[in-house]
Amino acid sequence: MIGSKRQKGIQCLVLIAFCLLPSAYSLAGESAVTFYAIPTPVSFSVSITTDPNGTVWFVELNTNKIASLNTETSAFKEYDIPTIKSYPTDIISDTNGILWFVEQDANQIGRFDPKTSTFKEYEVPTPQSQPSRLAIDKNGNIWFTEFAGNKIAKLLPSTGKFKEYLIPTPMSQPIGITIDNKGSVWFIESQGNKLGRLNPANGEIKEFPIPFQFSVPNEVTVDKKGNIWMSARKDRKLLQFNPASSTFKDFTLPGKGVPEGIAVDESNNIWY
């Protein structure tokens, strides 16, 4: 369910996006929280996004589908991914409403057009790279992390071609990825315990060691002021990185929850 809490200007979002319940209903006493039953049982839905029309999209990891929810009608639509057992782990919408998603075990980036209900899949050049998370830049290029390939990669939708960038730290296991308003690509090195920055203009990668040992960083986002925020699961912290001073600041979270997803709203509040 969803709850919010503020501590030092940080708001907390605890979210189970979709629960397998008999029917859609509002939790008693919490009218702001609504649950929707996914049509396919045990779908193990992960990652969630919205398109320009406000439709909610997510991937079903167990059942190899992408799905949409119209929140006005509570109607779901599910679509089978062409490659079986692709293990989709992330999804994002571009400005044209095209959905892009990761097929981790199939080693592909998927594209879905809701207007025609058609898929297109792109094979990642590095074998068994395990693509993990996605981000889209201002030019519509698709960026993603290669967890096993130890690379950051870019897919150009106009040509279907890839460009890959090797991360200096071996076996860094990159996961979360985001892009700031200057076009720099930021990413998490979960095993390397570092924050990385890639300059798309020259392909240069700079790494910033996280000053907390074995912090188990995961997801990353950028706020309106250009600060980089990331989740650190081991010590239940949020970490802030200031690119101007190259300094980190940590925020210990209340309770026993472990931070996973992280996002910034229009008011520059950090949600996790």
Side-chain angles (χ1 to χ4, degrees):
M1 63 183 169
I2 301 173
S4 66
K5 187 176 291 185
R6 181 180 291 270
Q7 179 186 9
K8 297 180 181 179
I10 299 174
Q11 291 185 345
C12 169
L13 174 66
V14 181
L15 170 64
I16 300 176
F18 297 94
C19 294
L20 296 176
L21 300 173
S23 61
Y25 67 96
S26 294
L27 209 60
E30 298 182 35
S31 59
V33 181
T34 303
F35 291 84
Y36 299 88
I38 298 172
T40 301
V42 200
S43 64
F44 195 5
S45 56
V46 296
S47 186
I48 189 170
T49 191
T50 56
D51 66 21
N53 297 319
T55 300
V56 177
W57 291 86
F58 59 99
V59 289
E60 299 181 9
L61 193 149
N62 270 358
T63 51
N64 203 55
K65 300 178 181 181
I66 69 169
S68 67
L69 167 66
N70 184 322
T71 55
E72 293 183 359
T73 65
S74 300
F76 284 90
K77 289 184 179 180
E78 295 176 301
Y79 307 88
D80 291 315
I81 297 171
T83 300
I84 62 172
K85 298 181 180 180
S86 70
Y87 208 77
T89 57
D90 198 16
I91 189 169
I92 194 169
S93 172
D94 66 21
T95 56
N96 296 316
I98 300 296
L99 281 304
W100 296 87
F101 58 97
V102 164
E103 300 179 33
Q104 182 172 296
D105 284 2
N107 203 47
Q108 297 179 142
I109 301 300
R111 177 188 186 273
F112 179 75
D113 186 343
K115 293 180 180 178
T116 60
S117 297
T118 55
F119 286 90
K120 188 171 183 179
E121 296 171 307
Y122 303 84
E123 185 76 20
V124 178
T126 298
Q128 300 178 337
S129 69
Q130 291 187 0
S132 181
R133 299 290 188 271
L134 296 166
I136 301 179
D137 67 22
K138 293 179 180 179
N139 296 319
N141 298 310
I142 312 301
W143 291 85
F144 60 97
T145 50
E146 297 183 15
F147 185 82
N150 201 48
K151 297 175 182 178
I152 304 301
K154 177 176 69 173
L155 167 63
L156 281 69
S158 59
T159 63
K161 293 183 178 180
F162 290 85
K163 189 168 185 179
E164 296 176 302
Y165 305 85
L166 183 65
I167 297 171
T169 299
M171 300 177 65
S172 68
Q173 296 184 349
I175 302 184
I177 187 169
T178 193
I179 301 171
D180 66 22
N181 58 11
K182 297 179 181 179
S184 294
V185 180
W186 296 86
F187 58 94
I188 292 293
E189 299 180 27
S190 62
Q191 183 65 28
N193 203 49
K194 298 175 181 178
L195 173 67
R197 182 184 66 198
L198 186 151
N199 182 344
N202 57 18
E204 179 186 6
I205 290 178
K206 186 172 183 180
E207 298 172 301
F208 304 89
I210 295 173
F212 306 98
Q213 276 194 323
F214 312 113
S215 63
V216 195
N218 189 16
E219 306 296 353
V220 63
T221 191
V222 58
D223 69 20
K224 307 300 180 185
K225 298 179 180 179
N227 296 308
I228 310 301
W229 291 82
M230 65 213 79
S231 54
R233 292 176 290 175
K234 174 179 168 288
D235 297 317
R236 298 194 298 274
K237 293 176 181 286
L238 290 188
L239 305 180
Q240 180 200 62
F241 178 77
N242 184 329
S245 60
S246 296
T247 55
F248 286 86
K249 186 175 182 180
D250 68 300
F251 299 84
T252 300
L253 304 178
K256 297 180 180 180
V258 176
E260 289 289 347
I262 188 168
V264 180
D265 67 19
E266 291 300 320
S267 300
N268 212 38
N269 294 307
I270 310 302
W271 293 84
Y272 60 92

